[in-house]
């Protein structure tokens, strides 16, 4: 079943032909400098009652600090949503004004924006455009074909990973290859984390979003290519984990929208990248916090109570889904925690409800959600083969063991498949798919049990047979003994779109001690190997590796451990 933004798009039948473009037509005796502005209006997609258009304006007059483009339709076209411009419509008249981040328009400079619209009958391209009241040169270019070609190759596919290569981040690949033995995995695809505003253009000389997309086009060749992006900069981010706090304060939702999501959406909407399948992982470790770490629960934090009260987690996620979902070749996957977080009865359905709230806020709908991702940057075993949730030992259920602690699930695969069903029951589309991050959940090496534990008692049975060797299922930071998991692959199990490596192996979860930084990242004692714990990990030792750098920074010792303990083995 196709999971498109709208049901109508699923029936899209595109034909080859002209793109429906209005361009400047310069007379032979007129110099380019005589043209005050030019317009390029393209109908990218068109179906029975709707269309997607892209507009590029080039300014050949004096530089501008703000701009407004106007045109009028000859028919009944109505703009329904847009990106990279504030678009309003009165009758047939449309005005597109700059956003706060793209008001500067140099002499000879261009700016692009796009929108979705509805129509019936014909969808003629406007014949006259003005830039700040000055008429631009255009050629009507004809009304365009009834069904112009889609530069992205048609409607969204059911599973973007099917039949596609996945982008290998050159920056991560170089770090991996520089490690002894790292060339064995340096060609694996990993996620690109946009964890602050500066990451959009590149940090400290590193690759920005456009550079990654350009590199993906180079890797693509003639086949299909998936690019995996992590959208990760909510206001008051990670209210229960200081190591991954972000740059935006709890109330800075407008800054999140205009300086973070809007510029990302504008870049992704560039027709240059329409042939890529862009998978976005939306806001790691956010929404379940509103269920598990608020109110009277012993795991509650004041920061999470603030975020529940102001609603900015739901608003931010909804806004991201809405804006990114408007781009025809983007596939949004919402982060869904992991079984050791929301697998309990009190958390399971409630988390799905919060996700539905987010997916229907700020203009988003469930059609903006292609699926969900479990175990992002976490360590939960993919499949525990030596015991099941239905086993009993000495008259006690596995659920009564200290490790399982009344959870309904013992591993990520069973959790992801069950949570998918819960999400559909809660109101998400029946065609949603799941991703599972397997970058660090292999738990191989000499400590991997070869079979079930002894049946002396339920704890001996579970602890002797479990692959996940963490001290407690709530431990999450740079875990000692972890290994690489299943290699990225498409369609590995029922309801699962892919196993992915969204968290790049070798990138730290957080520093072992406080490190001053300008990245907004705090020090979380859960990353300190001497920490004796809190209610969220049963007051257990943290199990973290020593001498770790800031989150996201390269951690050679972790990388080497992950290769040593990989399962399947390298």
């Amino acid at each position: 079943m196709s999971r498109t933004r709208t049901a109508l798009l699923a029936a899209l039948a595109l034909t080859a032909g002209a793109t429906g473009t209005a361009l400047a037509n310069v007379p032979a005796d007129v110099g380019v400098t005589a043209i005050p502005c030019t317009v390029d209006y393209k109908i990218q997609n068109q179906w029975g009652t709707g269309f997607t258009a892209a507009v590029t304006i080039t300014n050949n007059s004096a530089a501008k600090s703000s701009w407004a483009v106007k045109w009028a339709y000859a028919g009944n076209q109505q703009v329904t949503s847009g990106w990279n411009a504030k678009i309003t419509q009165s009758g047939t008249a449309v005005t597109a004004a700059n956003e706060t981040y793209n008001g500067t328009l140099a002499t000879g400079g261009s700016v692009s924006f796009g929108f979705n619209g509805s129509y019936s009958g014909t969808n003629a391209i406007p014949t006259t455009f003005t830039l700040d009241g000055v008429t631009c040169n255009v050629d009507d270019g004809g009304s365009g074909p009834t069904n112009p070609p889609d530069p992205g190759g048609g409607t969204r596919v059911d599973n973007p990973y099917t039949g596609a290569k996945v982008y290998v981040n050159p920056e991560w690949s170089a770090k991996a290859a520089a490690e002894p033995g790292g060339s064995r995995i340096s060609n694996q695809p990993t996620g690109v984390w946009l964890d602050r505003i500066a990451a959009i253009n590149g940090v400290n000389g590193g690759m920005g979003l456009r550079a990654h997309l350009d590199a993906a086009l180079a890797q693509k060749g003639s086949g299909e290519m998936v690019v995996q992006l992590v959208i990760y900069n909510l206001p008051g981010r990670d209210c229960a984990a200081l190591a991954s706090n972000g740059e935006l304060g709890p109330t800075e939702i407008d800054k999140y929208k205009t300086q973070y999501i809007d510029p990302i959406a504008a870049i992704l909407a560039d027709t240059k990248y329409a042939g890529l399948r862009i998978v976005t992982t939306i806001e790691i470790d956010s929404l379940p916090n509103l269920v598990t770490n608020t109110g009277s629960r012993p795991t509650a934090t004041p920061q999470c109570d603030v975020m529940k009260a102001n609603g900015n987690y739901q608003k931010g996620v909804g806004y991201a889904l809405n804006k990114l979902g408007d781009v025809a070749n983007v596939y949004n996957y919402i982060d869904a925690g992991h079984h050791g977080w929301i697998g309990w009865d009190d958390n399971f359905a409630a988390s799905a409800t919060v996700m539905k709230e987010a997916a229907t806020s700020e203009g988003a709908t469930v059609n903006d959600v292609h699926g969900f991702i479990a175990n992002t940057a976490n360590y939960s075993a993919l499949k525990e083969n030596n015991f099941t949730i239905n086993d009993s030992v000495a008259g006690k259920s596995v659920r009564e063991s200290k490790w399982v602690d009344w959870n309904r699930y013992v591993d990520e695969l069973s959790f992801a498949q069950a949570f998918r069903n819960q999400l559909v029951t809660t109101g998400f589309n029946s065609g949603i798919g799941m991703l599972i991050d397997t970058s660090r959940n292999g738990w191989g090496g000499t400590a991997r049990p070869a079979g079930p534990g002894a049946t002396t008692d339920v704890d001996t049975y579970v602890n002797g047979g479990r692959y996940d060797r963490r001290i407690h299922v709530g431990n999450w930071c740079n875990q000692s003994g972890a290994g690489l998991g299943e290699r990225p692959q498409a369609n590995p199990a029922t309801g699962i779109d892919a196993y992915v490596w969204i968290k790049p192996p070798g990138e730290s979860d957080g520093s072992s001690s406080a490190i001053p930084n300008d990245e907004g990242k705090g020090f979380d004692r859960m990353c300190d190997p001497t920490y004796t714990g809190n209610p969220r990990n049963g007051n257990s030792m943290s199990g973290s590796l020593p001498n770790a750098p800031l989150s996201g920074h390269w951690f050679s010792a972790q990388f080497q451990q992950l290769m040593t303990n990989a399962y399947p083995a390298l």
Side-chain angles (χ1 to χ4, degrees):
M1 179 180 298
S2 182
R3 298 187 295 267
T4 59
R5 176 167 169 76
T6 66
L8 288 173
L9 280 175
L12 225 172
L14 300 172
T15 60
T19 57
T21 302
L23 286 170
N25 189 8
V26 185
D29 59 347
V30 178
V32 172
T33 56
I35 303 171
C37 49
T38 61
V39 69
D40 178 358
Y41 179 111
K42 290 181 179 177
I43 298 174
Q44 295 180 294
N45 301 330
Q46 185 167 294
W47 54 100
T49 59
F51 66 100
T52 300
V55 182
T56 299
I57 299 293
T58 300
N59 172 41
N60 292 319
S61 57
K64 300 175 181 293
S65 59
S66 64
W67 50 266
V69 177
K70 296 183 179 182
W71 68 89
Y73 284 116
N76 60 359
Q77 296 97 325
Q78 290 288 322
V79 174
T80 56
S81 62
W83 48 93
N84 209 21
K86 296 183 176 73
I87 304 178
T88 57
Q89 183 169 357
S90 176
T92 61
V94 179
T95 299
N98 64 276
E99 295 281 10
T100 56
Y101 58 83
N102 64 357
T104 301
L105 189 53
T107 302
S110 298
V111 66
S112 298
F113 57 91
F115 58 91
N116 291 325
S118 63
Y119 79 102
S120 62
T122 59
N123 186 19
I125 292 174
T127 58
T128 301
F129 295 82
T130 63
L131 174 62
D132 295 338
V134 178
T135 301
C136 300
N137 280 55
V138 295
D139 177 15
D140 67 16
S143 62
T146 302
N147 292 307
D150 173 10
T155 61
R156 291 188 182 96
V157 295
D158 180 63
N159 180 356
Y161 290 87
T162 300
K165 296 185 293 185
V166 187
Y167 173 60
V168 177
N169 180 345
E171 294 182 312
W172 175 83
S173 181
K175 292 175 183 176
E179 291 279 346
S183 60
R184 292 174 293 174
I185 64 166
S186 59
N187 64 341
Q188 291 289 352
T190 55
V192 174
W193 287 60
L194 301 173
D195 64 350
R196 49 195 142 145
I197 293 168
I200 300 171
N201 291 320
V203 178
N204 297 326
M207 296 172 69
L209 177 54
R210 281 193 179 275
H212 282 295
L213 296 175
D214 290 340
L217 289 175
Q219 291 181 20
K220 180 179 184 294
S222 59
E224 299 293 343
M225 170 65 71
V226 169
V227 181
Q228 302 174 126
L229 306 177
V230 180
I231 306 301
Y232 185 52
N233 199 29
L234 274 180
R237 189 178 76 191
D238 285 7
C239 58
L242 298 176
S244 44
N245 284 166
E247 64 185 349
L248 301 180
T251 63
E252 293 188 284
I253 186 67
D254 290 338
K255 190 173 182 180
Y256 175 80
K257 292 177 178 180
T258 61
Q259 297 186 33
Y260 180 69
I261 293 299
D262 287 353
I264 291 173
I267 292 171
L268 299 187
D270 190 328
T271 55
K272 179 181 182 181
Y273 306 122
L276 298 171
R277 296 177 181 177
I278 300 171
V279 167
T280 59
T281 297
I282 304 294
E283 294 298 351
I284 310 305
D285 292 348
S286 60
L287 297 175
N289 276 312
L290 303 180
V291 175
T292 65
N293 298 321
T294 56
S296 60
R297 293 201 181 201
T299 56
T301 70
Q303 295 89 341
C304 289
D305 283 330
V306 167
M307 299 317 300
K308 183 174 183 177
N310 67 25
N312 282 343
Y313 276 5
Q314 291 101 321
K315 293 173 187 175
V317 169
Y319 190 84
L321 291 170
N322 182 23
K323 288 294 183 178
L324 302 177
D326 283 341
V327 184
N329 54 313
V330 166
Y331 300 76
N332 289 322
Y333 289 79
I334 299 176
D335 183 70
H338 53 88
H339 92 275
W341 187 359
I342 60 175
W344 283 271
D345 293 343
D346 288 348
N347 304 339
F348 194 73
S351 294
T353 297
V354 169
M355 292 169 192
K356 174 72 177 305
E357 291 172 0
T360 52
S361 65
E362 299 294 307
T365 74
V366 294
N367 292 323
D368 290 310
V369 181
H370 203 76
F372 293 78
I373 180 169
N375 204 48
T376 311
N378 208 262
Y379 297 87
S380 296
L382 179 66
K383 185 73 177 76
E384 292 283 9
N385 294 318
N386 293 329
F387 64 98
T388 76
I389 201 68
N390 299 314
D391 292 349
S392 294
V393 174
K396 286 193 173 184
S397 164
V398 157
R399 292 190 71 204
E400 297 180 71
S401 67
K402 291 179 181 178
W403 172 257
V404 178
D405 192 25
W406 297 102
N407 201 311
R408 289 281 180 188
Y409 306 94
V410 300
D411 53 37
E412 283 307 294
L413 181 57
S414 63
F415 164 75
Q417 291 171 325
F419 195 56
R420 178 189 175 280
N421 293 336
Q422 179 64 48
L423 290 160
V424 172
T425 299
T426 306
F428 286 95
N429 294 335
S430 61
I432 57 172
M434 304 296 289
L435 305 176
I436 301 177
D437 188 348
T438 59
S439 59
R440 304 183 301 178
N441 70 347
W443 296 104
T446 58
R448 185 178 178 88
T455 56
T456 311
D457 57 67
V458 72
D459 286 320
T460 301
Y461 176 68
V462 170
N463 289 332
R466 60 182 169 93
Y467 299 140
D468 187 339
R469 304 313 299 171
R470 286 178 293 176
I471 298 169
H472 189 276
V473 73
N475 288 354
W476 54 266
C477 192
N478 300 324
Q479 289 300 285
S480 177
L484 300 167
E486 290 284 347
R487 313 306 180 253
Q489 56 187 285
N491 298 299
T494 302
I496 310 299
D497 281 353
Y499 296 151
V500 294
W501 284 8
I502 292 298
K503 176 68 173 182
E507 291 190 1
S508 173
D509 295 318
S511 58
S512 301
S513 58
I515 298 176
N517 67 91
D518 60 357
E519 300 176 28
K521 296 170 182 174
F523 169 53
D524 196 303
R525 290 297 305 280
M526 287 297 289
C527 301
D528 176 357
T530 69
Y531 184 48
T532 56
N534 57 48
R536 287 188 291 282
N537 80 328
N539 296 109
S540 304
M541 296 296 291
S542 69
S544 59
L545 293 169
N547 305 313
L550 288 172
S551 63
H553 290 230
W554 190 255
F555 190 9
S556 178
Q558 184 205 57
F559 185 80
Q560 290 295 329
Q561 173 191 264
L562 292 173
M563 291 194 297
T564 298
N565 296 333
Y567 191 89
L570 297 178

